[in-house]
Amino acid sequence: LEEYRRIATFNRKEGVDVQEISAKQVAELFPLCKTEDVLAGFYVENDGRVNPVDATQALAKGFRQLGGTIIEGLSVEDVLTERDAVVGLSYTRDGAPGTIKTDYVVNCGGLWARELGARHGVLVPNQAAEHYYLLTDAMPDVDPSWPVVEDPASYAYIRPEGGGLMVGLFEGEAAPYDVPEPFAFGEIEPDWERMAPYLEKAMARVPGVQDVGVKKLFCGPESFTPDLAPLVGESPELKRYFVAAGLNSIGILTGPGVGRTVANWVVDGVPDVDVCGVHVDRTREFQATPAYRKERVKEALGDVYKCHYPYKTSQAGRGALRSPLHAALVERKATFRSVSGFEAADYFDGKSGPLTWAAPSFFDAWGEEHLAVRNACGLIDMSFMTKMTVAGRDAAAVLQRLSTSDIDTGKMTYTQWLHKETGGIEADVTVCRLPPRTLWAPLLGEDPAFLVVATDTAHRRVQALLRREVREDEICAVVDATGALAKLDVQGPSSLDVLRACAPDLDDLPFRGVASASIGKCASVLIARLTYVGEHGYELFVPAEQAMDVHDALVAEGAPPGLHHVGLKALNSLRLEKARGRVGSFLSYRGDGVVVG
C-alpha cells in the first residue's frame, strides 16, 4: 500500500490521474473480484486497453501515409559496415539474396535482439523466459468494459477477454527459455506442476473462475533485461546501429515512447529525453553470458510484481566482477551491492534487517561512516570505476579534441566530452598524464600516456568515444585498465596524515595535483588530490596485484590518524550534502545539455 501511494503521487505529478479507492469501490468496478482482504485500490478512470494487432496495423498505416515502406518476409542475414559504421544490410527473401543501402539500422528484434546484435558485435543482453496467461470459457457475468485488475501479491493481472477472463501471471521465480530456430508465433508446452500454486492464488482473487472451464493455459516466451529497463539507443560498437528492445513484457505501454525517442534520436543525432536509465551502452559483456542471463532472468521477471523497497538489491547473477580488495572488505563485514557487476561495499557492520519504507536497519552504521569522513578519514574502494589508459605519439591530440579543458597540464583534469554538433555532454571524466615510471609509463618510451577515469556506467560509452576519435593516420592505443587498476579513495580532513603515515616523504599536493609514491611494497602508487565528498582527499591508483598490500599498509599505518572503512551509502550522502553531481542523478545524458534537478 505504501509503495502504491508513492507511485500514485508520482504519477499525478506527471499528469496521470491515479486515485486511491476503497475496497468497496474495487468491488463495484470489478464485481467478480474478492475484496475482503483488500486495503485499497488505485484507479485511473481514463485508462484503457488496446488490441495489439490493431495498434500495430494503425502504426503501420500511419508510417505508410508518411512515405515509409514496409517489406515483410525478409530474413536479415548481416549488417554491412564501413569504418565501424552502418552502410546497409543483406537479406534473403524466398531463398534469394539481396541488399539494402541504408545509413541507419534499428534492431527491434525483441526475443531475437541479442542474437541479431551478436552477429555484428553489438551487445543486447536480454533473455527469454516462460510467460503465462490463462483464458477461461465464457462467463455471462463478465462485462468487457471492466478495468484490468492487478494483484501483485498474487503475481497476477486479470481482465475481461473473449467473453470470459484472462488471468495473466508474473510468477515469483521465472523459468529461462532458449528460443529455438526457427520460432515465430510459437508456443511452449505449459508446466502445469510448476504453475499450479501461482494459478490457485491468482484464481482465488476471482473465485468465479473456478466454476468455469479453462479454454487455454498459454505459455510463450517473453524477454527480460537484467535491470527490467529497456535497451535503447545507438550502440557503442557500431555507429548508426540503434537498438530498441528489451521492453520486458510491457511493450504495448512503452513501445510508442521508445519508438518516438529512437526516431527523434536518428533524425536529430541526439536523444530529446533523458536516456541514462535505458541507454543500451549501460550494459556489460558478462551480462550476455548464458550463465548470467539464465540466473538473472529468474529473479528479474519475479521482481515485476514484488515490492520495490528502497535499498533493495538484486541477488541473482551476483559475483561476476570482484574488486582486488574483496576479501579484505568481506573480513570487515561489508554488505555488498552490485555496481555494474562489481561487488561493491555498500556499508560496514550494519544489521541485515528486513526491507522497509522507514529508516533501514543499517542507518546508524551509515551515519557513522558519513561522520567519519567529515571528521577524520574514510577509505573507500572505488575499483569499479572505469579506467582507460590512452598512450602513443598522438594520445594528447586525441584527448585534447575530446575534452573541453586542457588535459596536458601535469594535473588530474576534470573535464567533459561534448557532442560535436550540439555541444551537449557525452561523458564526464578526469584525465591525467601519467608521470614517468608510473604504472605502465616505462614501457612507452618517450610517447605520452594518460589515464582516463569515468563512472562505471559510462564504461562502454567512454571506450567507444576514445576509439572513434583516433584518426587513421594517428598512433594512439586505448587500453581498458578497469580490472588492472584498483582505485582507493582516502577522503577526509586527516587524509594527508593517513597517507604520510605510509609515505613520509609525500608532499602535500595542490588541488588536482598528481604524484607517485611508494606505499607498502608497491613502488609506484599514483596519487591525485581530488574529492567527490567535499573534503580534503586523495584518489589512489594501484596495480591490482598489489592492491591488498597497499590496503593493508594504509590500515596498519593510517589507523592512528583515524582511518575508517566507508561504503557507497555514505559516499552518496556525502556527495549529496556537498551538491556533487552524478550522471543519472544530477547530470542527465540528453546530448543537448545538462539537466539539473
Side-chain angles (χ1 to χ4, degrees):
L1 181 58
E2 174 69 19
E3 176 174 22
Y4 270 75
R5 282 175 173 161
R6 291 171 180 234
I7 291 170
T9 299
F10 178 79
N11 273 272
R12 285 194 293 271
K13 172 186 174 293
E14 295 298 311
V16 181
D17 188 21
V18 183
Q19 296 297 326
E20 182 173 339
I21 61 175
S22 67
K24 180 182 177 183
Q25 289 172 298
V26 172
E28 290 171 353
L29 289 165
F30 205 109
L32 292 182
C33 192
K34 176 190 167 201
T35 59
E36 290 84 351
D37 59 341
V38 171
L39 299 175
F42 293 84
Y43 181 54
V44 183
E45 187 174 5
N46 60 358
D47 211 346
R49 294 195 300 274
V50 64
N51 182 316
V53 174
D54 293 344
T56 302
Q57 292 300 324
L59 289 167
K61 180 180 178 181
F63 182 62
R64 291 189 181 98
Q65 288 176 341
L66 291 169
T69 301
I70 296 174
I71 308 171
E72 299 185 69
L74 297 187
S75 175
V76 176
E77 303 300 334
D78 200 4
V79 171
L80 308 178
T81 64
E82 290 180 7
R83 299 178 181 176
D84 291 331
V86 168
V87 295
L89 57 83
S90 63
Y91 66 89
T92 56
R93 187 180 191 187
D94 298 328
T99 60
I100 297 175
K101 284 188 65 177
T102 178
D103 291 330
Y104 295 90
V105 163
V106 183
N107 179 346
C108 308
L111 288 171
W112 300 271
R114 185 185 74 253
E115 290 89 343
L116 182 60
R119 292 184 192 177
H120 322 111
V122 173
L123 181 64
V124 188
N126 59 334
Q127 169 63 41
E130 295 179 5
H131 205 36
Y132 288 84
Y133 62 80
L134 178 143
L135 294 172
T136 74
D137 287 334
M139 300 173 68
D141 295 335
V142 171
D143 185 333
S145 68
W146 287 349
V148 179
V149 168
E150 290 194 49
D151 182 9
S154 300
Y155 301 106
Y157 62 92
I158 304 152
R159 64 176 174 85
E161 180 72 22
L165 292 178
M166 172 193 282
V167 181
L169 299 170
F170 280 86
E171 61 267 33
E173 182 174 321
Y177 182 73
D178 289 321
V179 182
E181 285 285 351
F183 185 95
F185 302 104
E187 296 184 28
I188 304 170
E189 184 67 27
D191 186 341
W192 284 91
E193 183 176 355
R194 185 175 77 84
M195 297 307 298
Y198 292 107
L199 284 168
E200 289 172 6
K201 192 170 184 181
M203 292 165 70
R205 182 57 60 200
V206 281
V209 170
Q210 301 170 28
D211 300 327
V212 298
V214 173
K215 187 183 297 183
K216 187 176 188 61
L217 177 63
F218 176 84
C219 179
E222 179 64 82
S223 71
F224 297 84
T225 63
D227 59 3
L228 287 178
L231 298 169
V232 179
E234 186 177 15
S235 79
E237 293 86 6
L238 279 177
K239 292 179 184 177
R240 305 196 297 270
Y241 186 115
F242 280 76
V243 177
L247 303 193
N248 300 291
S249 193
I250 55 171
I252 199 69
L253 282 172
T254 54
V258 167
R260 174 194 174 281
T261 299
V262 171
N264 287 337
W265 200 336
V266 168
V267 171
D268 300 333
V270 291
D272 61 344
V273 294
D274 176 15
V275 293
C276 275
V278 299
H279 202 307
V280 68
D281 67 9
R282 74 186 186 278
T283 56
R284 301 289 285 271
E285 287 79 3
F286 74 88
Q287 293 177 316
T289 61
Y292 176 85
R293 287 189 280 106
K294 293 179 180 180
E295 185 180 340
R296 183 74 201 105
V297 78
K298 293 180 183 179
E299 182 181 64
L301 186 151
D303 274 345
V304 172
Y305 272 176
K306 288 180 181 175
C307 202
H308 305 98
Y309 290 104
Y311 314 121
K312 181 180 180 181
T313 59
S314 62
Q315 300 301 314
R318 295 284 293 274
L321 305 171
R322 288 188 172 93
S323 157
L325 302 178
H326 185 77
L329 303 179
V330 169
E331 186 179 337
R332 284 158 181 82
K333 300 180 182 178
T335 295
F336 295 89
R337 66 180 169 95
S338 178
V339 176
S340 295
F342 276 93
E343 293 296 306
D346 212 15
Y347 54 89
F348 293 83
D349 293 329
K351 299 175 184 176
S352 297
L355 293 169
T356 174
W357 294 98
S361 56
F362 52 82
F363 191 76
D364 290 341
W366 175 0
E368 290 169 7
E369 293 172 30
H370 182 110
L371 292 174
V373 175
R374 287 284 180 254
N375 299 326
C377 184
L379 177 63
I380 312 170
D381 178 23
M382 300 285 286
S383 299
F384 56 81
M385 293 286 283
T386 295
K387 299 172 285 286
M388 301 279 171
T389 52
V390 184
R393 182 192 70 193
D394 301 300
V398 170
L399 289 167
Q400 294 286 31
R401 289 198 301 270
L402 281 168
S403 305
T404 57
S405 304
D406 183 0
I407 50 84
D408 201 3
T409 63
K411 291 184 176 183
M412 181 71 85
T413 302
Y414 174 56
T415 187
Q416 282 73 44
W417 294 353
L418 306 183
H419 192 280
K420 293 186 182 302
E421 295 178 8
T422 67
I425 291 178
E426 292 276 281
D428 191 56
V429 302
T430 58
V431 184
C432 81
R433 184 165 182 161
L434 294 173
R437 297 176 298 282
T438 300
L439 304 175
W440 296 285
L443 305 178
L444 301 168
E446 298 299 319
D447 290 337
F450 294 84
L451 179 66
V452 176
V453 183
T455 187
D456 55 290
T457 53
H459 186 278
R460 290 171 62 215
R461 182 183 305 161
V462 166
Q463 196 173 37
L465 289 168
L466 283 166
R467 187 183 73 243
R468 292 174 180 176
E469 188 60 37
V470 180
R471 297 169 181 171
E472 286 188 358
D473 60 344
E474 290 182 324
I475 299 174
C476 179
V478 177
V479 180
D480 182 1
T482 301
L485 288 175
K487 181 176 183 288
L488 287 71
D489 284 17
V490 180
Q491 300 285 327
S494 61
S495 55
L496 181 59
D497 297 331
V498 168
L499 289 180
R500 279 182 172 162
C502 307
D505 297 332
L506 180 67
D507 293 329
D508 194 11
L509 298 169
F511 186 61
R512 298 192 295 107
V514 178
S516 177
S518 170
I519 296 179
K521 302 181 190 69
C522 184
S524 180
V525 175
L526 182 68
I527 302 175
R529 185 179 158 190
L530 282 175
T531 181
Y532 190 45
V533 301
E535 295 291 345
H536 192 107
Y538 303 84
E539 296 182 356
L540 279 59
F541 298 89
V542 188
E545 64 272 17
Q546 293 193 285
M548 280 290 286
D549 181 73
V550 171
H551 167 273
D552 292 347
L554 288 168
V555 170
E557 303 297 331
L563 183 67
H564 302 263
H565 282 80
V566 171
L568 299 186
K569 282 285 184 290
L571 178 78
N572 239 348
S573 57
L574 287 160
R575 74 164 183 86
L576 283 168
E577 195 170 68
K578 295 289 186 174
R580 295 295 198 270
R582 184 183 70 182
V583 172
S585 294
F586 283 175
L587 303 179
S588 298
Y589 173 68
R590 287 175 49 137
D592 59 351
V594 178
V595 180
V596 180

